[in-house]
Amino acid sequence: MTTTTLIKNGVVIDTEPEPVVLGRADVRIERGTIAEVGPGLADVRGAEVIDATGTIVLPGFVDTHRHTWQAAVRAVAPDTTFPGYVTRILDEIAPRYRPQDMYAGTLAGALECLDAGITTLLDWNHAQFTPSHTDAAVRALRDSGIRAVFGYAHGGEPGDLRGETRRVHEELSATPGLITMVIAALGPEIAGEERALEEWQVAAELGLPVTAHLGGHGADSAARGLAFLEANGLLTTPTTFIHALDYTDEQFKRIAAAGGSVSVSPVDEMNLGLGYPITGRARAAGIPAGLSADTVVCSPGDMFGQMRTAHLLERGRPDGAGLGFTTRDALRMATIEGAQVAGLGDVVGSLRPGKQADLVLVRTDTPGMAAAQDPIGAIVLNADTASVDTVLVAGRAVKRDGQLLHHDLATVLTSLIETAGTVVRA
């Protein structure tokens, strides 16, 4: 098997330190790693050559927060509110999930990501009711071929949190690959301070980052939760704040000083009535900000929709303060900045030699993409999932010529539909 891949003659976009169009160039991949980027790279005997003529080549997208298991309940509540989501999805539907349903939903959701050019996924899994549910989710991520950060949110008996978290960490560490781990903490605003203290303590003991829904439940709740984390020294552990909608600019500065990051879900933050996305405010404070689909219950599952929405809402802020936000900013959030939020900034998110070769080739020979004068603007404002021609993860093609590889998609979708029939009841 060849260890070298040459991607030739594409229009290349890099994203580090800032998004830039390199023009027509080639990318050489060695053993799954980016080795060289530039025009007219020399041919390598025995290399696999991918002709990228007519495409834009760029780093794969990074989704910093997605409840992947919910692929089986897509659009089940498209016009709901956040309280309605909690009742319908978390209280009613989630407990009906069996381990096989967890596998079916997570596998299909991960393949949905790959199909749309999302090569890295932070899978925030809060339906891990038993070890079998957890094992099914991890197996599905492995089987999908995606690069995943598995967000473990303990859902079993409270006394098992420490032991089960350690078990999952040990098993993932014993079989290194494309999957790493973070603690998906319920946090002080959802589960209370006692549980939150244990979650952050376990994360520190295991050397793992934390990702938590913080600052999205009202200004008073946001202030109390942040004060609790600071008072207990918990922000020495790298922490991502999801839906950080209710913090003041002064509180954002404190989060930035502590090395925190944010994950923004622009579509469903608006759709669920959570609040106006804090994209520009957080970034102005110096906080790395990534994008996320969150849930396909009431949001699109691709990154194009998230980038467009973030761009629209930031530039459309009533006070005009967001007009400096550009399509390049949106793409940066979907790639290198998202990788930083996911804890993988030195691994993926750009075309820097030495990084993993997680790449996307987007077609420009379609009515919606042809004659684009600004490739970055076209990726953010015009491309869609149908434009995604080829996807590579660690140099391995998982999609070619517009078709997913390595899976019997009909079987995957049949299992997904069977799960939907089981878990969705009138």
Side-chain angles (χ1 to χ4, degrees), residues 114-159:
L114 291 174
D115 192 49
I118 297 169
T119 53
T120 297
L121 163 68
L122 195 150
D123 178 29
W124 214 106
N125 194 316
H126 53 353
Q128 298 176 75
F129 306 118
T130 69
S132 294
H133 285 80
T134 301
D135 295 344
V138 171
R139 183 164 56 88
L141 292 172
R142 288 197 192 281
D143 290 350
S144 73
I146 201 166
R147 187 180 303 280
V149 181
F150 182 58
Y152 179 74
H154 180 68
E157 293 297 322

Side-chain angles (χ1 to χ4, degrees), residues 128-188:
Q128 298 176 75
F129 306 118
T130 69
S132 294
H133 285 80
T134 301
D135 295 344
V138 171
R139 183 164 56 88
L141 292 172
R142 288 197 192 281
D143 290 350
S144 73
I146 201 166
R147 187 180 303 280
V149 181
F150 182 58
Y152 179 74
H154 180 68
E157 293 297 322
D160 295 337
L161 188 154
R162 204 175 224 94
E164 183 61 11
T165 303
R166 285 185 175 278
R167 179 191 74 84
V168 177
H169 181 249
E170 289 172 1
E171 292 190 2
L172 285 174
S173 300
T175 53
L178 294 175
I179 303 181
T180 53
M181 180 178 173
V182 297
I183 301 300
L186 297 183

Side-chain angles (χ1 to χ4, degrees), residues 73-97:
V73 290
R74 184 185 313 279
V76 74
D79 303 308
T80 192
T81 61
F82 181 67
Y85 165 84
V86 171
T87 298
R88 179 73 172 123
I89 309 305
L90 301 185
D91 293 344
E92 296 177 5
I93 290 177
R96 299 173 186 153
Y97 264 68

Side-chain angles (χ1 to χ4, degrees), residues 276 281 313-323:
Y276 209 92
R281 290 203 303 124
L313 293 177
E314 186 59 27
R315 289 183 64 85
R317 281 167 57 182
D319 56 7
L323 288 174

Side-chain angles (χ1 to χ4, degrees), residues 226-244:
L226 181 58
F228 166 77
L229 296 175
E230 291 172 326
N232 288 278
L234 303 184
L235 292 183
T236 57
T237 295
T239 299
T240 296
F241 293 66
I242 300 168
H243 306 316

